[in-house]
Amino acid sequence: MKSPALQPLSMAGLQLMTPASSPMGPFFGLPWQQEAIHDNIYTPRKYQVELLEAALDHNTIVCLNTGSGKTFIAVLLTKELSYQIRGDFNRNGKRTVFLVNSANQVAQQVSAVRTHSDLKVGEYSNLEVNASWTKEKWNQEFTKHQVLVMTCFVALNVLKNGYLSLSDINLLVFDECHLAILDHPYREIMKLCENCPSCPRILGLTASILNGKCDPEELEEKIQKLEKILKSNAETATDLVVLDRYTSQPCEIVVDCGPFTDRSGLYERLLMELEEALNFINDCNISVHSKERDSTLISKQILSDCRAVLVVLGPWCADKVAGMMVRELQKYIKHEQEELHRKFLLFTDTFLRKIHALCEEHFSPASLDLKFVTPKVIKLLEILRKYKPYERQQFESVEWYNNRNQDNYVSWSDSEDDEEDEEIEEKEKPETNFPSPFTNILCGIIFVERRYTAVVLNR
């Protein structure tokens, strides 16, 4: 019999248990809270064993999808070669070095090695701090730790200063090794290997063997170039069907939302007005010297952003974004000293007020009118509503609209006093308390092309 406190929710092939009113607390029943499950017990999959065997035999670049366990293969290889690093460093004992591209990746690799092995791991991510260390200090670190996880910048500094020799390293792991194709510390480290008589075993990890776009006919050449730089062979799983079974395969759905039809004629009117305003600014014959600011730049950017919001999200959102832009323009105008720049800013400000006035003739900005948003927005709301039942929205209150205590307050007047009051009130606002990530089962990201699109979607 299923407990009523745990409601199963199936999403994209996963069975997620969501706490409803469990007396045991919000984390009861989640896998990482069950003491019976040990997180360091992990059976390697067939393709991982296959790539491990290749890495034991020769220098290897492991090419696998994100989430397929490349780091685990590196840990398995470290353990297989651990007999070389368990000895005293001062008595010819060697060390394994994990290289990562950025400081925030160090902790992730350290956690993986500590979870799946009993080896002593040192982490080094701050170049400024580590660069000031003496040879004696580094020697203490090498004596104390068997596996060294460091950023490529720290590693390059250590090798160039002779604190650690390549002959003292038994295994060199390059995370995101495709970066070596560029002018990158990885490449400089590999150049040091060219003059080393006993170069360590190389293991490269990558989900994207090509760094950037590539024509099909150039593919083989680029892979061979990376292999040459890392002195390794690029390998992947021979059974890609098995690999797909284990890697994260998102359920991709393309939703055709259809065209936006506005019977009121407001959309066509706003689009025409915006295009005419943009054409007017573009037609202004103003000579701009290389050292001078372009007087029309801000106006062009604001009007093109407003047009983009209108086309993608519809008139209701265009009105909202016009209000935000007026607020920003008021600050620009207040501090602008150049007369010509000020005139273009005032023109844009007046034009956005006209957009707002046209919108007010068709709908009340105080509430969301679905007739004036595009089918894309409506479809997005429908998708999100599946995760949370419909509730009376805050913006349905007329009192809420344009409340100067709210983040989206817009001053439609020209008074500078209003603006100063507003800035004072902004400073006095308490910090926003964001809801806990566990209050709802949905965890999603909506990608947009422009900043204003993201802001107005939030509205």
Side-chain angles (χ1 to χ4, degrees), residues 13-229:
L14 293 177
Q15 189 76 4
L16 303 178
M17 306 303 290
T18 62
S21 56
S22 170
M24 302 295 289
F27 298 101
F28 174 69
L30 296 179
W32 56 84
Q33 290 295 313
Q34 296 171 358
E35 293 181 6
I37 299 173
H38 297 283
D39 61 1
N40 59 349
I41 297 175
Y42 197 112
T43 305
R45 294 160 185 154
K46 187 179 176 182
Y47 67 87
Q48 290 174 320
V49 174
E50 175 192 358
L51 290 167
L52 171 63
E53 289 172 353
L56 282 166
D57 183 63
H58 54 263
N59 291 349
T60 304
I61 299 169
V62 172
C63 311
L64 289 175
N65 296 348
T66 301
S68 56
K70 295 185 294 294
T71 303
F72 186 57
I73 295 170
V75 175
L76 291 174
L77 181 60
T78 303
K79 289 169 73 176
E80 287 290 330
L81 301 177
S82 64
Y83 65 93
Q84 299 171 347
I85 61 175
R86 291 188 186 274
D88 187 341
F89 179 70
N90 296 313
R91 295 182 181 179
N92 299 322
K94 291 182 180 286
R95 292 296 174 256
T96 292
V97 178
F98 268 71
L99 300 179
V100 295
N101 183 47
S102 60
N104 58 4
Q105 294 170 306
V106 170
Q108 185 182 342
Q109 303 294 335
V110 168
S111 175
V113 179
R114 285 177 179 162
T115 298
H116 298 295
S117 77
D118 63 341
L119 297 167
K120 294 170 184 172
V121 189
E123 50 185 302
Y124 314 93
S125 57
N126 191 324
L127 180 59
E128 288 184 14
V129 172
N130 300 140
S132 64
W133 287 3
T134 61
K135 187 166 186 175
E136 289 72 25
K137 170 65 176 171
W138 276 113
N139 200 63
Q140 289 174 14
E141 294 295 316
F142 303 148
T143 304
K144 192 171 22 173
H145 302 114
Q146 297 154 331
V147 179
L148 314 167
V149 181
M150 51 180 69
T151 65
C152 51
F153 304 100
V154 172
L156 188 60
N157 179 63
V158 167
L159 291 168
K160 279 189 170 180
N161 285 301
Y163 301 144
L164 182 68
S165 168
L166 284 167
S167 58
D168 294 327
I169 302 172
N170 76 321
L171 172 63
L172 200 52
V173 180
F174 292 84
D175 189 34
E176 295 183 285
C177 67
H178 56 271
L179 296 170
I181 208 108
L182 306 169
D183 183 16
H184 191 272
Y186 281 174
R187 195 163 188 170
E188 292 188 55
I189 290 168
M190 285 309 302
K191 282 179 182 175
L192 297 175
C193 287
E194 291 174 6
N195 304 318
C196 179
S198 55
C199 193
R201 176 56 49 87
I202 305 292
L203 179 67
L205 308 176
T206 181
S208 171
I209 197 164
L210 298 173
N211 193 47
K213 293 181 180 179
C214 170
D215 292 328
E217 59 269 18
E218 298 173 356
L219 178 61
E220 187 175 358
E221 181 190 339
K222 293 215 171 184
I223 292 173
Q224 287 173 351
K225 185 179 178 182
L226 183 62
E227 287 180 323
K228 186 178 178 182
I229 291 168

Side-chain angles (χ1 to χ4, degrees), residues 181-457:
I181 208 108
L182 306 169
D183 183 16
H184 191 272
Y186 281 174
R187 195 163 188 170
E188 292 188 55
I189 290 168
M190 285 309 302
K191 282 179 182 175
L192 297 175
C193 287
E194 291 174 6
N195 304 318
C196 179
S198 55
C199 193
R201 176 56 49 87
I202 305 292
L203 179 67
L205 308 176
T206 181
S208 171
I209 197 164
L210 298 173
N211 193 47
K213 293 181 180 179
C214 170
D215 292 328
E217 59 269 18
E218 298 173 356
L219 178 61
E220 187 175 358
E221 181 190 339
K222 293 215 171 184
I223 292 173
Q224 287 173 351
K225 185 179 178 182
L226 183 62
E227 287 180 323
K228 186 178 178 182
I229 291 168
L230 292 173
K231 304 182 187 302
S232 306
N233 294 340
E235 309 261 358
T236 191
T238 52
D239 192 343
L240 296 176
V241 176
V242 172
L243 179 62
D244 283 346
R245 193 184 306 157
Y246 290 111
T247 54
S248 52
Q249 295 295 318
C251 174
E252 297 185 32
I253 301 170
V254 178
V255 180
D256 182 4
C257 301
F260 176 51
T261 52
D262 176 16
R263 292 177 183 175
S264 70
L266 177 62
Y267 173 83
E268 286 77 10
R269 174 73 189 277
L270 295 178
L271 190 60
M272 182 189 73
E273 294 281 354
L274 281 162
E275 287 179 346
E276 283 183 1
L278 278 165
N279 290 336
F280 168 75
I281 292 174
N282 287 326
D283 288 343
C284 289
N285 190 13
I286 301 166
S287 59
V288 180
H289 298 290
S290 58
K291 292 183 180 179
E292 291 181 0
R293 289 181 296 146
D294 182 356
S295 303
T296 64
L297 185 64
I298 294 173
S299 297
K300 284 177 185 175
Q301 187 62 55
I302 283 179
L303 293 177
S304 62
D305 278 341
C306 189
R307 184 189 181 282
V309 169
L310 173 66
V311 172
V312 176
L313 305 178
W316 190 86
C317 297
D319 177 58
K320 279 282 175 285
V321 88
M324 296 174 207
M325 288 169 170
V326 164
R327 181 177 171 178
E328 285 193 26
L329 276 169
Q330 286 170 352
K331 293 175 182 176
Y332 278 117
I333 293 164
K334 185 177 176 181
H335 299 104
E336 184 55 66
Q337 301 297 320
E338 292 286 335
E339 186 61 29
L340 186 59
H341 290 62
R342 188 178 172 85
K343 282 180 179 177
F344 274 106
L345 294 175
L346 286 167
F347 165 78
T348 310
D349 178 84
T350 304
F351 181 80
L352 291 173
R353 292 171 190 274
K354 181 180 180 181
I355 293 290
H356 175 65
L358 289 169
C359 291
E360 276 194 319
E361 291 176 8
H362 291 81
F363 57 81
S364 167
S367 60
L368 174 58
D369 191 333
L370 293 178
K371 293 197 300 293
F372 294 99
V373 295
T374 57
K376 188 186 282 189
V377 177
I378 293 170
K379 192 66 185 176
L380 174 63
L381 293 173
E382 288 173 2
I383 291 167
L384 294 177
R385 203 164 284 153
K386 289 178 183 177
Y387 294 95
K388 188 170 184 180
Y390 178 73
E391 295 174 2
R392 184 172 177 80
Q393 298 298 318
Q394 194 181 14
F395 54 67
E396 288 181 355
S397 163
V398 176
E399 187 181 319
W400 172 86
Y401 173 68
N402 223 17
N403 182 337
R404 63 162 57 246
N405 293 322
Q406 295 291 339
D407 290 335
N408 70 325
Y409 171 72
V410 178
S411 170
W412 289 106
S413 74
D414 293 319
S415 169
E416 292 188 355
D417 294 336
D418 285 354
E419 191 67 29
E420 286 170 5
D421 292 343
E422 179 189 323
E423 286 177 5
I424 292 166
E425 286 184 9
E426 269 189 358
K427 290 173 186 175
E428 293 173 354
K429 278 184 192 174
E431 287 186 17
T432 307
N433 291 319
F434 292 100
S436 161
F438 294 98
T439 55
N440 203 327
I441 196 65
L442 172 66
C443 180
I445 302 175
I446 300 169
F447 288 104
V448 297
E449 290 185 0
R450 296 179 182 236
R451 181 171 65 98
Y452 278 115
T453 311
V455 176
V456 82
L457 266 182

